[in-house]
Amino acid sequence: MLSIAALQAVVTATPFDGEPSDAELDAIEVEMPLILADVELLDAVINTLDRPVSKLDERRIRRARNRVVAARRDLTNRTGLTLADGAA
């Protein structure tokens, strides 16, 4: 009887170790200001879920949203500069 085993080499030569690569860690580090701003906004919104929103809460949420927008703008501008430098 003939063997049905695969005759080709394994497709994935290196096993996945479950850890992020250096490039992935660098990307996370670049995005960290945006991540922290999003967490701050989320904290501000969570604090207002079980009680009425006060004027102070409104200001806190508005400022947190502004920080998120600023962080996104900075990240987009930084990414655009990196692409422009790499393309030149």
Side-chain angles (χ1 to χ4, degrees):
M1 187 167 262
L2 293 174
S3 174
I4 306 177
L7 300 177
Q8 296 178 353
V10 179
V11 176
T12 54
T14 56
F16 179 66
D17 62 356
E19 296 294 324
S21 67
D22 290 339
E24 292 170 331
L25 290 174
D26 290 341
I28 292 170
E29 186 175 338
V30 167
E31 294 177 4
M32 190 54 70
L34 177 58
I35 294 168
L36 293 175
D38 280 333
V39 168
E40 186 177 341
L41 175 59
L42 187 60
D43 285 341
V45 172
I46 287 173
N47 284 333
T48 62
L49 287 179
D50 60 347
R51 60 186 168 87
V53 179
S54 67
K55 293 289 184 184
L56 182 63
D57 292 330
E58 289 175 1
R59 274 190 283 172
R60 186 173 176 210
I61 291 171
R62 185 178 63 246
R63 287 179 182 165
R65 282 186 182 141
N66 289 340
R67 285 188 198 103
V68 169
V69 170
R72 285 183 183 162
R73 180 198 61 219
D74 294 343
L75 181 62
T76 302
N77 289 342
R78 187 177 314 141
T79 304
L81 289 175
T82 303
L83 291 177
D85 291 342

Coordinates of all heavy atoms in Angstrom, one line a residue:
M1 N 0.8 -1.2 0.0 CA 0.0 0.0 0.0 C 0.9 1.2 0.0 O 1.9 1.3 0.7 CB -0.9 0.0 1.2 CG -1.9 1.1 1.2 SD -3.2 0.9 2.4 CE -4.5 0.2 1.4
L2 N 0.5 2.3 -0.7 CA 1.2 3.5 -0.8 C 1.0 4.4 0.4 O -0.1 4.5 0.9 CB 0.9 4.3 -2.1 CG 1.2 3.6 -3.4 CD1 0.7 4.4 -4.6 CD2 2.7 3.4 -3.5
S3 N 2.0 5.2 0.7 CA 1.9 6.1 1.8 C 1.3 7.4 1.3 O 1.5 7.8 0.2 CB 3.3 6.4 2.4 OG 3.2 7.5 3.3
I4 N 0.4 8.0 2.1 CA -0.3 9.2 1.8 C 0.4 10.5 2.4 O -0.1 11.6 2.2 CB -1.8 9.2 2.2 CG1 -2.4 7.9 1.7 CG2 -2.6 10.3 1.7 CD1 -3.8 7.7 2.1
A5 N 1.5 10.3 2.9 CA 2.2 11.5 3.6 C 2.6 12.5 2.6 O 2.9 12.2 1.4 CB 3.4 11.0 4.3
A6 N 2.7 13.7 3.0 CA 3.1 14.8 2.1 C 4.6 14.7 1.7 O 5.4 14.4 2.5 CB 2.9 16.2 2.8
L7 N 4.8 15.0 0.5 CA 6.2 14.8 0.0 C 6.9 16.2 0.0 O 8.1 16.2 -0.2 CB 6.2 14.3 -1.4 CG 5.5 12.9 -1.6 CD1 5.5 12.5 -3.0 CD2 6.3 11.9 -0.7
Q8 N 6.2 17.3 0.3 CA 6.8 18.6 0.2 C 7.3 19.0 1.6 O 6.8 18.4 2.6 CB 5.9 19.6 -0.3 CG 5.5 19.4 -1.7 CD 4.5 20.4 -2.2 OE1 4.0 21.2 -1.5 NE2 4.2 20.4 -3.5
A9 N 8.2 20.0 1.7 CA 8.6 20.5 3.0 C 7.5 21.3 3.6 O 6.6 21.7 3.0 CB 9.8 21.4 2.8
V10 N 7.6 21.5 4.9 CA 6.6 22.3 5.7 C 6.6 23.7 5.1 O 7.6 24.3 4.9 CB 6.9 22.2 7.2 CG1 5.9 23.0 8.0 CG2 7.0 20.8 7.7
V11 N 5.4 24.3 5.0 CA 5.3 25.6 4.5 C 5.8 26.7 5.4 O 6.5 27.6 5.0 CB 3.8 25.9 4.2 CG1 3.6 27.3 3.7 CG2 3.2 24.9 3.1
T12 N 5.6 26.6 6.7 CA 6.1 27.5 7.6 C 7.4 27.0 8.2 O 7.4 26.1 9.0 CB 5.1 27.8 8.7 OG1 4.7 26.6 9.3 CG2 3.9 28.5 8.2
A13 N 8.5 27.6 7.8 CA 9.8 27.1 8.3 C 10.1 27.4 9.7 O 10.7 26.6 10.5 CB 10.9 27.6 7.4
T14 N 9.7 28.6 10.1 CA 10.0 29.1 11.5 C 8.7 29.0 12.3 O 7.6 29.6 11.9 CB 10.5 30.5 11.5 OG1 9.6 31.4 10.9 CG2 11.9 30.5 10.8
P15 N 8.7 28.4 13.4 CA 7.4 28.4 14.3 C 7.2 29.7 14.9 O 8.1 30.5 15.2 CB 7.8 27.3 15.3 CG 9.2 27.3 15.4 CD 9.8 27.7 14.1
F16 N 5.9 30.0 15.1 CA 5.5 31.3 15.7 C 5.7 31.2 17.2 O 5.2 30.3 17.9 CB 4.0 31.5 15.4 CG 3.5 32.8 16.0 CD1 3.9 34.0 15.6 CD2 2.5 32.8 17.0 CE1 3.5 35.2 16.2 CE2 2.1 33.9 17.6 CZ 2.5 35.2 17.2
D17 N 6.5 32.1 17.7 CA 6.8 32.1 19.2 C 5.9 32.9 20.0 O 6.0 32.8 21.2 CB 8.3 32.6 19.4 CG 8.5 34.0 19.0 OD1 7.5 34.6 18.4 OD2 9.6 34.5 19.2
G18 N 4.9 33.6 19.4 CA 3.9 34.3 20.2 C 4.3 35.7 20.7 O 3.5 36.4 21.3
E19 N 5.5 36.1 20.4 CA 6.0 37.4 20.8 C 6.0 38.4 19.6 O 6.2 38.0 18.5 CB 7.4 37.3 21.3 CG 7.5 36.5 22.6 CD 6.8 37.1 23.8 OE1 6.8 38.4 23.9 OE2 6.2 36.4 24.6
P20 N 5.7 39.7 19.8 CA 5.8 40.6 18.7 C 7.2 40.8 18.2 O 8.2 40.8 19.0 CB 5.2 41.9 19.3 CG 5.4 41.8 20.8 CD 5.3 40.3 21.1
S21 N 7.3 41.1 17.0 CA 8.6 41.4 16.4 C 9.1 42.8 16.8 O 8.4 43.6 17.3 CB 8.6 41.3 14.9 OG 7.8 42.3 14.3
D22 N 10.4 43.1 16.5 CA 10.9 44.4 16.8 C 10.2 45.5 16.0 O 9.9 46.6 16.5 CB 12.4 44.5 16.4 CG 13.2 43.6 17.4 OD1 12.7 43.4 18.5 OD2 14.3 43.3 17.1
A23 N 9.8 45.2 14.7 CA 9.1 46.1 13.9 C 7.7 46.4 14.5 O 7.2 47.6 14.5 CB 8.9 45.6 12.5
E24 N 7.0 45.4 15.0 CA 5.7 45.6 15.6 C 5.8 46.4 16.9 O 5.0 47.3 17.2 CB 5.1 44.2 15.9 CG 4.7 43.5 14.7 CD 4.2 42.1 14.9 OE1 4.7 41.4 15.9 OE2 3.4 41.6 14.1
L25 N 6.9 46.2 17.7 CA 7.1 46.9 18.9 C 7.4 48.4 18.6 O 6.9 49.3 19.3 CB 8.2 46.3 19.7 CG 7.9 45.0 20.4 CD1 9.2 44.4 21.1 CD2 6.8 45.1 21.4
D26 N 8.1 48.6 17.5 CA 8.4 50.0 17.1 C 7.1 50.7 16.7 O 6.9 51.9 17.0 CB 9.4 50.0 16.0 CG 10.8 49.6 16.5 OD1 11.1 49.7 17.7 OD2 11.6 49.2 15.6
A27 N 6.2 50.0 16.0 CA 5.0 50.6 15.5 C 4.1 50.9 16.7 O 3.4 52.0 16.8 CB 4.3 49.6 14.6
I28 N 4.1 50.1 17.7 CA 3.3 50.3 18.9 C 3.9 51.5 19.7 O 3.1 52.4 20.2 CB 3.3 49.1 19.9 CG1 2.5 48.0 19.2 CG2 2.7 49.4 21.2 CD1 2.6 46.6 19.9
E29 N 5.2 51.7 19.7 CA 5.8 52.8 20.4 C 5.5 54.1 19.7 O 5.2 55.1 20.3 CB 7.3 52.6 20.4 CG 8.0 53.7 21.2 CD 9.5 53.4 21.3 OE1 9.9 52.2 21.2 OE2 10.3 54.4 21.6
V30 N 5.4 54.1 18.4 CA 5.0 55.3 17.6 C 3.6 55.7 17.9 O 3.3 56.8 18.0 CB 5.3 55.0 16.1 CG1 4.6 56.1 15.3 CG2 6.8 55.0 15.8
E31 N 2.7 54.7 18.0 CA 1.3 54.9 18.2 C 0.9 55.1 19.7 O -0.2 55.4 20.0 CB 0.5 53.8 17.7 CG 0.6 53.7 16.2 CD -0.2 52.5 15.6 OE1 -0.9 51.8 16.4 OE2 -0.1 52.2 14.4
M32 N 1.9 55.0 20.6 CA 1.6 55.1 22.0 C 0.9 56.4 22.5 O -0.1 56.3 23.3 CB 2.8 54.9 22.9 CG 2.5 54.7 24.3 SD 1.3 53.4 24.7 CE 2.2 51.9 24.3
P33 N 1.2 57.6 22.0 CA 0.5 58.8 22.4 C -1.0 58.7 22.0 O -1.8 59.1 22.8 CB 1.2 59.9 21.6 CG 2.6 59.4 21.4 CD 2.4 57.9 21.2
L34 N -1.3 58.2 20.9 CA -2.7 58.0 20.5 C -3.4 57.0 21.4 O -4.5 57.2 21.8 CB -2.8 57.6 19.0 CG -4.2 57.3 18.5 CD1 -5.1 58.6 18.6 CD2 -4.2 56.9 17.0
I35 N -2.7 55.9 21.7 CA -3.3 54.9 22.5 C -3.6 55.5 23.9 O -4.7 55.3 24.5 CB -2.4 53.7 22.6 CG1 -2.3 53.0 21.3 CG2 -2.9 52.7 23.7 CD1 -1.2 51.9 21.2
L36 N -2.7 56.2 24.5 CA -2.9 56.8 25.8 C -4.0 57.8 25.8 O -4.8 57.9 26.7 CB -1.6 57.4 26.3 CG -0.5 56.4 26.6 CD1 0.8 57.2 27.0 CD2 -0.9 55.5 27.7
A37 N -4.1 58.6 24.7 CA -5.2 59.6 24.6 C -6.6 58.9 24.5 O -7.5 59.3 25.1 CB -5.0 60.5 23.4
D38 N -6.6 57.8 23.7 CA -7.9 57.0 23.6 C -8.3 56.4 25.0 O -9.4 56.4 25.3 CB -7.7 55.9 22.6 CG -7.9 56.4 21.2 OD1 -8.6 57.4 21.0 OD2 -7.3 55.7 20.3
V39 N -7.3 56.0 25.7 CA -7.6 55.4 27.1 C -8.1 56.5 28.0 O -9.1 56.3 28.8 CB -6.3 54.7 27.7 CG1 -6.5 54.4 29.1 CG2 -6.0 53.5 26.9
E40 N -7.5 57.7 27.9 CA -8.0 58.8 28.7 C -9.4 59.2 28.4 O -10.2 59.4 29.3 CB -7.0 60.0 28.5 CG -7.4 61.2 29.5 CD -6.4 62.3 29.3 OE1 -5.3 62.1 28.8 OE2 -6.7 63.4 29.7
L41 N -9.7 59.2 27.1 CA -11.1 59.5 26.7 C -12.1 58.4 27.1 O -13.2 58.7 27.7 CB -11.2 59.7 25.1 CG -12.6 59.9 24.6 CD1 -13.2 61.1 25.1 CD2 -12.5 59.9 23.0
L42 N -11.7 57.2 27.0 CA -12.5 56.1 27.5 C -12.8 56.2 29.0 O -13.9 56.0 29.5 CB -11.9 54.8 27.1 CG -12.7 53.5 27.4 CD1 -14.0 53.5 26.6 CD2 -11.8 52.3 27.0
D43 N -11.7 56.5 29.8 CA -11.9 56.7 31.2 C -12.9 57.8 31.5 O -13.7 57.7 32.4 CB -10.6 57.0 31.9 CG -9.7 55.8 32.0 OD1 -10.2 54.7 31.9 OD2 -8.5 56.0 32.2
A44 N -12.8 58.9 30.8 CA -13.7 60.1 31.0 C -15.1 59.7 30.7 O -16.1 60.0 31.5 CB -13.3 61.2 30.2
V45 N -15.4 58.9 29.7 CA -16.7 58.5 29.3 C -17.2 57.5 30.3 O -18.4 57.5 30.7 CB -16.7 58.0 27.9 CG1 -18.1 57.4 27.5 CG2 -16.4 59.1 26.9
I46 N -16.4 56.5 30.7 CA -16.8 55.5 31.6 C -17.3 56.1 33.0 O -18.2 55.7 33.6 CB -15.7 54.5 31.8 CG1 -15.6 53.6 30.6 CG2 -16.0 53.6 33.1 CD1 -14.5 52.6 30.6
N47 N -16.6 57.2 33.4 CA -16.9 57.8 34.7 C -18.3 58.5 34.6 O -18.9 58.7 35.7 CB -15.9 58.9 35.0 CG -14.6 58.3 35.5 OD1 -14.6 57.2 36.1 ND2 -13.5 59.0 35.3
T48 N -18.8 58.7 33.5 CA -20.1 59.4 33.4 C -21.3 58.4 33.1 O -22.4 58.9 32.9 CB -20.1 60.5 32.3 OG1 -19.8 59.9 31.0 CG2 -19.1 61.5 32.6
L49 N -21.0 57.1 33.0 CA -22.0 56.2 32.6 C -23.1 56.0 33.7 O -24.3 55.8 33.3 CB -21.4 54.8 32.3 CG -20.6 54.7 31.0 CD1 -20.1 53.3 30.9 CD2 -21.5 55.0 29.9
D50 N -22.8 56.1 35.0 CA -23.8 55.7 36.0 C -24.2 57.0 36.8 O -24.8 56.8 37.9 CB -23.2 54.7 36.9 CG -21.9 55.1 37.6 OD1 -21.4 56.1 37.2 OD2 -21.5 54.4 38.6
R51 N -23.9 58.1 36.3 CA -24.4 59.4 37.0 C -24.6 60.5 35.9 O -24.1 60.4 34.8 CB -23.4 59.8 38.0 CG -22.0 60.1 37.5 CD -21.0 60.4 38.6 NE -19.7 60.4 38.2 CZ -19.1 61.5 37.7 NH1 -19.7 62.6 37.6 NH2 -17.8 61.4 37.3
P52 N -25.3 61.5 36.3 CA -25.5 62.6 35.4 C -24.2 63.3 35.1 O -23.3 63.4 35.9 CB -26.4 63.6 36.2 CG -27.0 62.8 37.3 CD -26.1 61.6 37.6
V53 N -24.1 63.8 33.9 CA -22.9 64.5 33.5 C -22.9 65.9 34.0 O -23.8 66.7 33.8 CB -22.8 64.5 31.9 CG1 -21.6 65.3 31.5 CG2 -22.8 63.1 31.4
S54 N -21.8 66.3 34.7 CA -21.7 67.7 35.2 C -20.9 68.5 34.2 O -20.4 68.0 33.2 CB -20.9 67.6 36.6 OG -19.6 67.2 36.4
K55 N -20.8 69.8 34.5 CA -20.0 70.7 33.7 C -18.5 70.3 33.6 O -17.9 70.3 32.6 CB -20.1 72.1 34.1 CG -21.5 72.7 34.0 CD -21.8 73.0 32.5 CE -23.1 73.6 32.4 NZ -23.5 73.8 31.0
L56 N -18.0 69.8 34.8 CA -16.6 69.4 34.8 C -16.4 68.1 34.0 O -15.4 68.0 33.3 CB -16.3 69.1 36.3 CG -14.8 68.7 36.6 CD1 -13.9 69.8 36.2 CD2 -14.7 68.3 38.0
D57 N -17.4 67.2 34.0 CA -17.3 66.0 33.2 C -17.3 66.4 31.7 O -16.6 65.8 30.9 CB -18.5 65.1 33.5 CG -18.4 64.5 34.9 OD1 -17.3 64.3 35.4 OD2 -19.4 64.2 35.4
E58 N -18.2 67.3 31.3 CA -18.2 67.8 29.9 C -16.9 68.3 29.5 O -16.4 68.0 28.4 CB -19.3 68.8 29.7 CG -20.7 68.3 29.8 CD -21.8 69.4 29.8 OE1 -21.4 70.6 29.6 OE2 -23.0 69.1 29.9
R59 N -16.3 69.1 30.3 CA -15.0 69.7 30.0 C -13.9 68.6 29.9 O -13.1 68.7 29.0 CB -14.5 70.7 31.0 CG -15.1 72.1 30.7 CD -14.4 73.1 31.6 NE -15.1 73.0 33.0 CZ -14.7 73.6 34.0 NH1 -13.6 74.4 34.0 NH2 -15.3 73.4 35.2
R60 N -14.0 67.7 30.8 CA -13.0 66.6 30.8 C -13.1 65.7 29.5 O -12.1 65.4 28.9 CB -13.2 65.7 32.0 CG -12.2 64.7 32.2 CD -12.4 64.0 33.6 NE -11.5 62.9 33.7 CZ -11.7 61.8 34.4 NH1 -12.9 61.7 35.0 NH2 -10.8 60.8 34.5
I61 N -14.3 65.4 29.1 CA -14.5 64.7 27.9 C -14.1 65.5 26.7 O -13.4 64.9 25.8 CB -16.0 64.2 27.8 CG1 -16.3 63.2 28.9 CG2 -16.3 63.7 26.4 CD1 -17.8 62.8 29.0
R62 N -14.5 66.8 26.6 CA -14.1 67.6 25.5 C -12.6 67.7 25.4 O -12.0 67.6 24.3 CB -14.7 69.0 25.6 CG -14.5 69.9 24.4 CD -15.1 71.2 24.6 NE -14.6 72.0 25.7 CZ -15.3 72.3 26.8 NH1 -16.5 72.0 26.9 NH2 -14.7 73.0 27.8
R63 N -11.9 67.9 26.5 CA -10.4 68.0 26.4 C -9.8 66.6 26.0 O -8.8 66.6 25.3 CB -9.9 68.4 27.8 CG -10.2 69.9 28.1 CD -9.7 70.3 29.4 NE -10.0 71.6 29.7 CZ -9.9 72.2 30.9 NH1 -9.6 71.5 31.9 NH2 -10.2 73.5 31.0
A64 N -10.4 65.5 26.5 CA -9.9 64.2 26.1 C -10.1 64.0 24.6 O -9.2 63.4 23.9 CB -10.5 63.1 26.9
R65 N -11.2 64.4 24.1 CA -11.4 64.3 22.6 C -10.5 65.1 21.8 O -9.9 64.7 20.8 CB -12.9 64.7 22.3 CG -13.9 63.7 22.6 CD -15.3 64.1 22.1 NE -16.3 63.1 22.5 CZ -17.5 63.4 22.9 NH1 -17.9 64.6 22.9 NH2 -18.3 62.4 23.2
N66 N -10.2 66.3 22.3 CA -9.2 67.2 21.7 C -7.8 66.6 21.7 O -7.1 66.7 20.7 CB -9.2 68.6 22.3 CG -10.4 69.4 22.0 OD1 -11.2 69.1 21.1 ND2 -10.7 70.4 22.9
R67 N -7.5 65.9 22.8 CA -6.2 65.2 22.8 C -6.1 64.0 21.8 O -5.0 63.8 21.2 CB -5.9 64.7 24.2 CG -5.5 65.8 25.2 CD -5.0 65.3 26.5 NE -5.1 66.3 27.5 CZ -6.0 66.4 28.4 NH1 -7.0 65.5 28.6 NH2 -6.0 67.4 29.3
V68 N -7.2 63.3 21.7 CA -7.2 62.2 20.7 C -7.1 62.8 19.3 O -6.3 62.3 18.5 CB -8.6 61.4 20.8 CG1 -8.7 60.5 19.7 CG2 -8.6 60.7 22.1
V69 N -7.8 63.9 19.0 CA -7.7 64.5 17.6 C -6.2 64.9 17.4 O -5.7 64.7 16.3 CB -8.7 65.6 17.5 CG1 -8.4 66.4 16.2 CG2 -10.1 65.0 17.5
A70 N -5.6 65.6 18.4 CA -4.3 66.1 18.2 C -3.3 64.9 18.1 O -2.4 65.0 17.2 CB -3.9 66.9 19.4
A71 N -3.5 63.9 18.8 CA -2.6 62.7 18.7 C -2.7 62.0 17.3 O -1.7 61.6 16.7 CB -2.9 61.7 19.8
R72 N -4.0 62.0 16.8 CA -4.2 61.4 15.5 C -3.5 62.3 14.4 O -2.9 61.8 13.5 CB -5.7 61.2 15.2 CG -6.3 60.1 15.9 CD -7.7 59.9 15.6 NE -8.3 58.8 16.3 CZ -9.6 58.6 16.5 NH1 -10.5 59.5 16.0 NH2 -10.0 57.6 17.2
R73 N -3.7 63.6 14.6 CA -3.1 64.5 13.6 C -1.5 64.4 13.6 O -0.9 64.3 12.6 CB -3.4 65.9 14.0 CG -2.9 67.0 13.1 CD -2.9 68.4 13.7 NE -2.1 68.4 14.9 CZ -2.4 69.0 16.0 NH1 -3.5 69.7 16.1 NH2 -1.6 69.0 17.1
D74 N -1.0 64.3 14.8 CA 0.5 64.2 14.9 C 1.0 62.8 14.3 O 2.0 62.8 13.6 CB 1.0 64.3 16.4 CG 0.7 65.7 16.9 OD1 0.5 66.6 16.2 OD2 0.7 65.8 18.2
L75 N 0.2 61.8 14.6 CA 0.6 60.5 14.0 C 0.5 60.5 12.5 O 1.4 59.9 11.8 CB -0.3 59.4 14.7 CG 0.0 58.0 14.2 CD1 1.4 57.6 14.6 CD2 -1.0 57.0 14.8
T76 N -0.6 61.1 12.0 CA -0.7 61.1 10.6 C 0.4 62.0 9.9 O 0.9 61.6 8.9 CB -2.1 61.7 10.2 OG1 -3.1 60.9 10.8 CG2 -2.3 61.8 8.7
N77 N 0.7 63.1 10.5 CA 1.8 63.9 10.0 C 3.1 63.2 10.0 O 3.9 63.3 9.1 CB 1.8 65.3 10.7 CG 0.7 66.2 10.4 OD1 0.0 66.0 9.4 ND2 0.4 67.1 11.3
R78 N 3.4 62.5 11.1 CA 4.6 61.8 11.3 C 4.7 60.7 10.2 O 5.7 60.4 9.6 CB 4.7 61.2 12.7 CG 6.1 60.6 13.0 CD 6.2 60.1 14.4 NE 5.7 61.1 15.3 CZ 5.0 60.8 16.4 NH1 4.7 59.5 16.7 NH2 4.7 61.7 17.2
T79 N 3.6 60.0 10.0 CA 3.6 58.9 9.0 C 3.8 59.4 7.6 O 4.5 58.9 6.8 CB 2.2 58.1 9.1 OG1 2.1 57.6 10.4 CG2 2.2 56.9 8.2
G80 N 3.2 60.6 7.3 CA 3.3 61.2 6.0 C 4.7 61.6 5.8 O 5.3 61.5 4.7
L81 N 5.4 62.2 6.8 CA 6.8 62.5 6.6 C 7.7 61.3 6.4 O 8.6 61.4 5.6 CB 7.3 63.3 7.9 CG 6.7 64.7 8.1 CD1 7.2 65.3 9.4 CD2 7.1 65.6 6.9
T82 N 7.4 60.2 7.1 CA 8.2 59.0 6.9 C 8.0 58.5 5.5 O 9.0 58.1 4.9 CB 7.7 57.9 7.9 OG1 7.9 58.5 9.3 CG2 8.6 56.7 7.8
L83 N 6.8 58.5 5.0 CA 6.6 58.0 3.6 C 7.2 58.9 2.6 O 7.8 58.5 1.7 CB 5.1 57.9 3.4 CG 4.3 56.8 4.1 CD1 2.8 56.9 3.8 CD2 4.8 55.5 3.8
A84 N 7.2 60.2 2.9 CA 7.8 61.2 1.9 C 9.3 61.0 1.9 O 9.9 61.0 0.9 CB 7.4 62.6 2.3
D85 N 9.9 60.8 3.1 CA 11.3 60.6 3.2 C 11.7 59.3 2.5 O 12.7 59.2 1.8 CB 11.8 60.7 4.6 CG 11.7 62.1 5.2 OD1 11.6 63.0 4.5 OD2 11.7 62.2 6.5
G86 N 11.0 58.3 2.8 CA 11.3 57.0 2.2 C 11.1 57.0 0.7 O 11.8 56.2 0.0
A87 N 10.2 57.7 0.2 CA 9.9 57.7 -1.3 C 10.9 58.5 -2.0 O 11.1 58.3 -3.2 CB 8.5 58.3 -1.5
A88 N 11.6 59.5 -1.3 CA 12.5 60.3 -2.0 C 13.8 59.7 -2.2 O 14.3 58.9 -2.8 CB 12.8 61.6 -1.2

